[in-house]
Amino acid sequence: MHIDFSSESGSAAEISFNQFLDVDMRIGEVIEALDFPEAKNPSYKLKIDFGKGVGVKKSSAQITVHYSKESLIGKKVLAVVNFPPRQIGKFMSEVLVMGFSDTNNNIVLFNLDKEVPNGARLH
């Protein structure tokens, strides 16, 4: 299945507000970023601290174009934390880091304009 995430694809199908509430998106802080040479596309293996309740989770993220491993340490990221884990090669990704595609389809993370605690939920 191919999903077109480009800005030209138009908006997605309408969902209910309750469906939106089912998607648990939270802020976490990257505490480790490692190369992931086995990945099909250039990626990092991340450990992200979502604070009390969710804890530390792992993710594979295709964000190597705009971010070095060093620049990711301490960075706050938004992730979906209630998808089932997904096997990516020999790595089990537990959360989906969210970002936007630039004009070359490389992922750009967003920046918060105020500090929020790890584990804060998007609403």
Side-chain angles (χ1 to χ4, degrees):
M1 173 164 89
H2 173 72
I3 299 173
D4 184 0
F5 286 112
S6 69
S7 59
E8 293 84 28
S9 65
S11 61
E14 189 174 279
I15 63 170
S16 72
F17 186 69
N18 285 337
Q19 287 173 305
F20 169 74
L21 291 177
D22 286 341
V23 182
D24 191 354
M25 292 178 273
R26 296 186 185 248
I27 286 292
E29 183 176 341
V30 177
I31 58 173
E32 183 178 81
L34 302 172
D35 288 322
F36 189 7
E38 306 86 12
K40 185 175 7 174
N41 297 310
S43 303
Y44 294 130
K45 294 179 190 177
L46 305 177
K47 280 191 183 174
I48 306 166
D49 182 4
F50 291 97
K52 192 175 182 177
V54 177
V56 174
K57 299 289 182 181
K58 299 180 295 181
S59 184
S60 169
Q62 296 177 15
I63 54 176
T64 60
V65 171
H66 293 298
Y67 306 95
S68 67
K69 293 177 299 205
E70 297 77 18
S71 72
L72 289 167
I73 303 302
K75 183 161 186 60
K76 299 277 187 153
V77 295
L78 178 67
V80 176
V81 299
N82 67 333
F83 283 153
R86 184 173 178 188
Q87 190 77 42
I88 301 174
K90 294 183 179 182
F91 183 75
M92 185 63 73
S93 189
E94 300 172 306
V95 299
L96 175 65
V97 173
M98 308 292 288
F100 300 93
S101 295
D102 67 11
T103 56
N104 294 313
N105 285 325
N106 297 309
I107 302 301
V108 175
L109 302 171
F110 69 96
N111 289 309
L112 294 168
D113 65 353
K114 302 281 188 261
E115 184 65 26
V116 296
N118 292 349
R121 187 169 181 178
L122 178 72
H123 37 136

